[in-house]
Amino acid sequence: MATERTLCIIKPDAVEKKTGGAILALLETAGFSVVALEKTHLSKVVAEGFYAVHKDRPFFGELVTFMTRSPVIIAVLERDDAVAKYRGVMGATDPVKADAGTIRKLFGANVGENAVHGSDSLANAKNEIAYFFAANRVAPTA
Ligand code: GDP
């Protein structure tokens, strides 16, 4: 399996509960390397741009309000098959439906406040990483 990179956002609910470190530790234990990391407070414009694909969904306003209410931690994760592996470790969108041991089951509150974001394809991972990290802020692939 090829080495890939994917984008993780530890969302405001998880950062507020001070579970960001535990989530990063879980990811490292699961075999991911953190190759770039930033804590930041998303502006409305940045959150709306990031979630533009969802702009016609009924929960879009709620999602943007949530993602901008307090800081997030954004990480670029690397390992073999990173996109699919991270989606697995992350768990289903709704923490109630997520498998035991997944990040969303352990740390998520509900379908909106579900602790983490993860890219859903390699193409989206590349775009999402570039949205937050200038190329010179991410270590080159080994
Ligand atoms: P993901 O790929 O598992 O994150 O799920 P989606 O791409 O479908 O949705 C993106 C994000 O929108 C989710 O992670 C949630 O934070 C939020 N979201 C999804 N469905 C709902 C919903 O029904 N209500 C609210 N408030 N937020 C939602």
Side-chain angles (χ1 to χ4, degrees), residues 11 13 50-51 53-54 57-64 66-67 87 90-94 104 110-120 128:
K11 296 182 178 182
D13 59 322
F50 184 73
Y51 281 115
V53 67
H54 293 308
R57 308 276 288 274
F59 56 81
F60 183 67
E62 213 173 303
L63 176 59
V64 170
F66 163 54
M67 290 299 292
R87 293 289 299 186
M90 184 170 80
T93 309
D94 184 350
R104 283 171 163 171
N110 56 58
V111 71
E113 301 199 6
N114 55 7
V116 283
H117 165 84
S119 311
D120 63 3
E128 291 178 359

CSV table of all heavy atoms in Angstrom, one decimal, residues 11 13 50-51 53-54 57-64 66-67 87 90-94 104 110-120 128, ligand 1:
chain,number,residue,atom,x,y,z
A,11,LYS,N,-12.0,19.0,16.2
A,11,LYS,CA,-13.0,20.0,16.1
A,11,LYS,C,-13.1,20.7,17.5
A,11,LYS,O,-12.7,20.2,18.5
A,11,LYS,CB,-14.3,19.4,15.7
A,11,LYS,CG,-14.3,18.8,14.2
A,11,LYS,CD,-15.6,18.3,13.8
A,11,LYS,CE,-15.6,17.8,12.4
A,11,LYS,NZ,-16.9,17.3,11.9
A,13,ASP,N,-15.4,21.0,19.7
A,13,ASP,CA,-15.9,20.2,20.9
A,13,ASP,C,-14.8,19.4,21.6
A,13,ASP,O,-14.7,19.4,22.8
A,13,ASP,CB,-17.1,19.3,20.5
A,13,ASP,CG,-16.7,18.2,19.5
A,13,ASP,OD1,-15.9,18.6,18.5
A,13,ASP,OD2,-17.2,17.1,19.6
A,50,PHE,N,-14.0,25.8,3.5
A,50,PHE,CA,-13.6,24.4,3.7
A,50,PHE,C,-14.8,23.5,3.5
A,50,PHE,O,-14.7,22.4,2.9
A,50,PHE,CB,-13.1,24.2,5.1
A,50,PHE,CG,-12.6,22.9,5.4
A,50,PHE,CD1,-11.4,22.4,4.8
A,50,PHE,CD2,-13.3,22.0,6.2
A,50,PHE,CE1,-10.9,21.1,5.0
A,50,PHE,CE2,-12.8,20.7,6.4
A,50,PHE,CZ,-11.6,20.3,5.8
A,51,TYR,N,-16.0,23.9,4.0
A,51,TYR,CA,-17.2,23.0,3.9
A,51,TYR,C,-18.1,23.4,2.7
A,51,TYR,O,-19.3,23.1,2.7
A,51,TYR,CB,-18.0,23.0,5.2
A,51,TYR,CG,-17.4,22.2,6.3
A,51,TYR,CD1,-16.8,22.7,7.4
A,51,TYR,CD2,-17.3,20.8,6.1
A,51,TYR,CE1,-16.3,21.9,8.4
A,51,TYR,CE2,-16.8,20.0,7.1
A,51,TYR,CZ,-16.3,20.5,8.3
A,51,TYR,OH,-15.7,19.7,9.2
A,53,VAL,N,-18.7,22.3,-0.1
A,53,VAL,CA,-19.4,21.2,-0.7
A,53,VAL,C,-20.8,20.9,0.0
A,53,VAL,O,-21.7,20.4,-0.6
A,53,VAL,CB,-18.5,19.9,-0.7
A,53,VAL,CG1,-18.3,19.4,0.7
A,53,VAL,CG2,-19.1,18.8,-1.6
A,54,HIS,N,-20.9,21.3,1.3
A,54,HIS,CA,-22.1,21.1,2.0
A,54,HIS,C,-23.0,22.4,2.1
A,54,HIS,O,-24.0,22.4,2.8
A,54,HIS,CB,-21.8,20.8,3.5
A,54,HIS,CG,-21.1,19.4,3.6
A,54,HIS,ND1,-21.6,18.3,3.1
A,54,HIS,CD2,-19.9,19.1,4.3
A,54,HIS,CE1,-20.8,17.3,3.4
A,54,HIS,NE2,-19.7,17.7,4.1
A,57,ARG,N,-26.7,21.9,2.2
A,57,ARG,CA,-27.3,21.0,3.2
A,57,ARG,C,-28.0,21.8,4.3
A,57,ARG,O,-27.5,22.9,4.6
A,57,ARG,CB,-26.2,20.1,3.8
A,57,ARG,CG,-25.3,19.4,2.8
A,57,ARG,CD,-25.9,18.1,2.3
A,57,ARG,NE,-25.9,17.0,3.3
A,57,ARG,CZ,-24.9,16.2,3.5
A,57,ARG,NH1,-23.7,16.3,2.8
A,57,ARG,NH2,-25.0,15.2,4.3
A,58,PRO,N,-29.0,21.3,4.9
A,58,PRO,CA,-29.8,22.0,5.9
A,58,PRO,C,-29.0,22.4,7.1
A,58,PRO,O,-29.3,23.4,7.8
A,58,PRO,CB,-30.9,21.1,6.3
A,58,PRO,CG,-30.6,19.8,5.8
A,58,PRO,CD,-29.6,20.0,4.6
A,59,PHE,N,-27.9,21.6,7.4
A,59,PHE,CA,-27.1,21.9,8.6
A,59,PHE,C,-25.9,22.8,8.4
A,59,PHE,O,-25.1,23.0,9.3
A,59,PHE,CB,-26.6,20.5,9.2
A,59,PHE,CG,-25.8,19.7,8.3
A,59,PHE,CD1,-24.5,19.9,8.1
A,59,PHE,CD2,-26.4,18.6,7.6
A,59,PHE,CE1,-23.7,19.1,7.2
A,59,PHE,CE2,-25.7,17.8,6.7
A,59,PHE,CZ,-24.3,18.1,6.5
A,60,PHE,N,-25.8,23.3,7.2
A,60,PHE,CA,-24.6,24.1,6.9
A,60,PHE,C,-24.3,25.3,7.8
A,60,PHE,O,-23.2,25.4,8.4
A,60,PHE,CB,-24.6,24.6,5.4
A,60,PHE,CG,-23.4,25.4,5.0
A,60,PHE,CD1,-22.2,24.7,4.8
A,60,PHE,CD2,-23.5,26.7,4.7
A,60,PHE,CE1,-21.1,25.4,4.4
A,60,PHE,CE2,-22.3,27.4,4.3
A,60,PHE,CZ,-21.1,26.7,4.2
A,61,GLY,N,-25.3,26.0,8.1
A,61,GLY,CA,-25.1,27.2,9.1
A,61,GLY,C,-24.7,26.7,10.4
A,61,GLY,O,-23.8,27.3,11.0
A,62,GLU,N,-25.4,25.6,10.9
A,62,GLU,CA,-25.0,25.1,12.2
A,62,GLU,C,-23.6,24.6,12.2
A,62,GLU,O,-22.8,24.8,13.2
A,62,GLU,CB,-26.0,23.9,12.5
A,62,GLU,CG,-26.4,23.7,13.9
A,62,GLU,CD,-27.4,22.6,14.0
A,62,GLU,OE1,-28.5,22.7,13.3
A,62,GLU,OE2,-27.2,21.6,14.6
A,63,LEU,N,-23.2,23.9,11.1
A,63,LEU,CA,-21.8,23.4,11.0
A,63,LEU,C,-20.8,24.5,11.1
A,63,LEU,O,-19.8,24.4,11.8
A,63,LEU,CB,-21.7,22.6,9.7
A,63,LEU,CG,-20.3,22.0,9.3
A,63,LEU,CD1,-19.8,21.1,10.4
A,63,LEU,CD2,-20.4,21.3,8.0
A,64,VAL,N,-21.0,25.6,10.3
A,64,VAL,CA,-20.1,26.7,10.3
A,64,VAL,C,-20.0,27.4,11.7
A,64,VAL,O,-18.9,27.7,12.2
A,64,VAL,CB,-20.4,27.7,9.2
A,64,VAL,CG1,-19.6,29.0,9.3
A,64,VAL,CG2,-20.2,27.1,7.8
A,66,PHE,N,-20.6,26.0,14.6
A,66,PHE,CA,-19.9,25.1,15.4
A,66,PHE,C,-18.4,25.2,15.2
A,66,PHE,O,-17.6,25.3,16.1
A,66,PHE,CB,-20.4,23.7,15.2
A,66,PHE,CG,-19.5,22.6,15.7
A,66,PHE,CD1,-19.1,22.6,17.0
A,66,PHE,CD2,-19.1,21.5,14.9
A,66,PHE,CE1,-18.2,21.5,17.5
A,66,PHE,CE2,-18.3,20.5,15.3
A,66,PHE,CZ,-17.8,20.5,16.7
A,67,MET,N,-18.0,25.1,13.9
A,67,MET,CA,-16.5,25.0,13.6
A,67,MET,C,-15.8,26.3,13.9
A,67,MET,O,-14.5,26.3,14.0
A,67,MET,CB,-16.3,24.6,12.1
A,67,MET,CG,-16.7,23.2,11.8
A,67,MET,SD,-15.8,21.9,12.7
A,67,MET,CE,-14.2,22.1,12.0
A,87,ARG,N,-10.2,7.1,8.1
A,87,ARG,CA,-11.6,7.1,8.1
A,87,ARG,C,-12.1,5.9,9.0
A,87,ARG,O,-13.1,6.1,9.7
A,87,ARG,CB,-12.2,6.9,6.7
A,87,ARG,CG,-12.0,8.0,5.7
A,87,ARG,CD,-12.8,9.2,6.0
A,87,ARG,NE,-14.3,9.0,5.9
A,87,ARG,CZ,-15.1,10.0,6.0
A,87,ARG,NH1,-14.7,11.3,6.2
A,87,ARG,NH2,-16.4,9.8,6.0
A,90,MET,N,-11.4,6.9,12.6
A,90,MET,CA,-12.3,8.1,13.0
A,90,MET,C,-13.7,7.6,13.4
A,90,MET,O,-14.3,8.0,14.3
A,90,MET,CB,-12.4,9.0,11.8
A,90,MET,CG,-13.1,10.3,11.9
A,90,MET,SD,-12.9,11.4,10.5
A,90,MET,CE,-14.0,10.7,9.3
A,91,GLY,N,-14.3,6.6,12.6
A,91,GLY,CA,-15.6,6.1,12.9
A,91,GLY,C,-16.7,6.9,12.1
A,91,GLY,O,-16.4,7.9,11.5
A,92,ALA,N,-17.9,6.3,12.2
A,92,ALA,CA,-19.0,6.9,11.5
A,92,ALA,C,-19.3,8.3,11.9
A,92,ALA,O,-19.0,8.7,13.0
A,92,ALA,CB,-20.3,6.0,11.7
A,93,THR,N,-20.0,9.1,11.0
A,93,THR,CA,-20.3,10.5,11.3
A,93,THR,C,-21.0,10.7,12.6
A,93,THR,O,-20.7,11.6,13.4
A,93,THR,CB,-21.2,11.1,10.1
A,93,THR,OG1,-20.5,10.8,8.9
A,93,THR,CG2,-21.4,12.6,10.3
A,94,ASP,N,-22.0,9.8,12.8
A,94,ASP,CA,-22.8,9.9,14.1
A,94,ASP,C,-22.1,9.0,15.1
A,94,ASP,O,-22.1,7.8,15.0
A,94,ASP,CB,-24.2,9.4,13.8
A,94,ASP,CG,-25.1,9.5,15.0
A,94,ASP,OD1,-24.6,9.8,16.1
A,94,ASP,OD2,-26.3,9.4,14.8
A,104,ARG,N,-14.6,8.9,17.1
A,104,ARG,CA,-15.9,9.5,17.3
A,104,ARG,C,-16.7,8.8,18.4
A,104,ARG,O,-17.5,9.5,19.1
A,104,ARG,CB,-16.7,9.6,16.0
A,104,ARG,CG,-16.1,10.7,15.1
A,104,ARG,CD,-16.6,10.6,13.7
A,104,ARG,NE,-16.4,11.9,13.0
A,104,ARG,CZ,-16.7,12.1,11.7
A,104,ARG,NH1,-17.1,11.0,11.0
A,104,ARG,NH2,-16.5,13.2,11.1
A,110,ASN,N,-22.3,14.1,19.3
A,110,ASN,CA,-23.5,13.8,18.4
A,110,ASN,C,-23.1,14.0,17.0
A,110,ASN,O,-22.0,14.3,16.7
A,110,ASN,CB,-24.7,14.8,18.8
A,110,ASN,CG,-24.2,16.2,18.8
A,110,ASN,OD1,-23.8,16.7,17.7
A,110,ASN,ND2,-24.3,16.9,19.9
A,111,VAL,N,-24.1,13.9,16.1
A,111,VAL,CA,-23.8,13.9,14.6
A,111,VAL,C,-23.1,15.2,14.1
A,111,VAL,O,-22.4,15.2,13.2
A,111,VAL,CB,-25.0,13.5,13.8
A,111,VAL,CG1,-26.0,14.7,13.8
A,111,VAL,CG2,-24.7,13.1,12.4
A,112,GLY,N,-23.4,16.3,14.8
A,112,GLY,CA,-22.7,17.5,14.5
A,112,GLY,C,-21.4,17.7,15.2
A,112,GLY,O,-20.4,18.0,14.5
A,113,GLU,N,-21.4,17.5,16.5
A,113,GLU,CA,-20.2,17.7,17.3
A,113,GLU,C,-19.5,16.3,17.5
A,113,GLU,O,-19.7,15.7,18.5
A,113,GLU,CB,-20.6,18.4,18.6
A,113,GLU,CG,-21.3,19.7,18.4
A,113,GLU,CD,-21.3,20.6,19.6
A,113,GLU,OE1,-20.7,20.3,20.6
A,113,GLU,OE2,-22.0,21.7,19.5
A,114,ASN,N,-18.8,15.9,16.4
A,114,ASN,CA,-18.3,14.6,16.4
A,114,ASN,C,-16.8,14.5,16.5
A,114,ASN,O,-16.2,13.6,15.9
A,114,ASN,CB,-18.8,13.8,15.1
A,114,ASN,CG,-18.6,14.6,13.9
A,114,ASN,OD1,-17.9,15.6,13.9
A,114,ASN,ND2,-19.1,14.1,12.8
A,115,ALA,N,-16.2,15.5,17.1
A,115,ALA,CA,-14.8,15.4,17.5
A,115,ALA,C,-13.7,15.6,16.4
A,115,ALA,O,-12.7,16.3,16.7
A,115,ALA,CB,-14.4,14.2,18.3
A,116,VAL,N,-13.9,15.0,15.3
A,116,VAL,CA,-12.8,15.1,14.2
A,116,VAL,C,-13.4,15.2,12.8
A,116,VAL,O,-14.5,14.6,12.6
A,116,VAL,CB,-11.9,13.9,14.3
A,116,VAL,CG1,-10.9,14.0,15.4
A,116,VAL,CG2,-12.6,12.6,14.4
A,117,HIS,N,-12.6,15.8,12.0
A,117,HIS,CA,-12.9,15.7,10.5
A,117,HIS,C,-11.8,14.8,9.9
A,117,HIS,O,-10.7,14.8,10.4
A,117,HIS,CB,-12.7,17.1,9.9
A,117,HIS,CG,-12.6,17.0,8.4
A,117,HIS,ND1,-13.7,17.0,7.5
A,117,HIS,CD2,-11.5,17.0,7.6
A,117,HIS,CE1,-13.3,16.9,6.3
A,117,HIS,NE2,-11.9,16.9,6.3
A,118,GLY,N,-12.1,14.1,8.8
A,118,GLY,CA,-11.1,13.4,8.0
A,118,GLY,C,-11.5,13.4,6.6
A,118,GLY,O,-12.6,13.3,6.2
A,119,SER,N,-10.5,13.6,5.7
A,119,SER,CA,-10.7,13.6,4.3
A,119,SER,C,-11.3,12.3,3.8
A,119,SER,O,-11.0,11.3,4.3
A,119,SER,CB,-9.3,13.8,3.6
A,119,SER,OG,-8.6,14.9,4.1
A,120,ASP,N,-12.2,12.4,2.8
A,120,ASP,CA,-12.9,11.2,2.4
A,120,ASP,C,-12.4,10.6,1.1
A,120,ASP,O,-12.9,9.6,0.6
A,120,ASP,CB,-14.4,11.4,2.3
A,120,ASP,CG,-14.7,12.5,1.3
A,120,ASP,OD1,-13.8,13.0,0.6
A,120,ASP,OD2,-16.0,12.8,1.1
A,128,GLU,N,-7.5,19.6,0.7
A,128,GLU,CA,-7.7,20.0,2.1
A,128,GLU,C,-6.4,20.4,2.8
A,128,GLU,O,-6.3,21.4,3.5
A,128,GLU,CB,-8.5,19.0,2.9
A,128,GLU,CG,-9.9,18.8,2.4
A,128,GLU,CD,-10.7,17.7,3.2
A,128,GLU,OE1,-10.1,17.1,4.1
A,128,GLU,OE2,-11.9,17.6,2.9
B,1,GDP,P1,-18.0,13.1,7.6
B,1,GDP,O1,-17.3,12.9,6.3
B,1,GDP,O2,-18.2,11.8,8.4
B,1,GDP,O3,-17.5,14.2,8.5
B,1,GDP,O4,-19.5,13.5,7.3
B,1,GDP,P2,-20.2,14.5,6.2
B,1,GDP,O5,-19.2,14.9,5.1
B,1,GDP,O6,-21.5,14.0,5.8
B,1,GDP,O7,-20.5,15.8,7.1
B,1,GDP,C1,-19.5,16.8,7.4
B,1,GDP,C2,-19.8,17.2,8.8
B,1,GDP,O8,-21.0,17.9,8.9
B,1,GDP,C3,-19.9,16.1,9.9
B,1,GDP,O9,-18.7,15.6,10.3
B,1,GDP,C4,-20.7,16.9,11.0
B,1,GDP,O10,-19.8,17.7,11.8
B,1,GDP,C5,-21.6,17.7,10.2
B,1,GDP,N1,-22.9,17.1,10.0
B,1,GDP,C6,-23.3,16.0,9.2
B,1,GDP,N2,-24.6,15.7,9.3
B,1,GDP,C7,-25.1,16.6,10.2
B,1,GDP,C8,-26.4,16.9,10.7
B,1,GDP,O11,-27.4,16.1,10.4
B,1,GDP,N3,-26.5,17.9,11.6
B,1,GDP,C9,-25.5,18.7,12.0
B,1,GDP,N4,-25.7,19.7,12.8
B,1,GDP,N5,-24.2,18.5,11.5
B,1,GDP,C10,-24.0,17.5,10.6
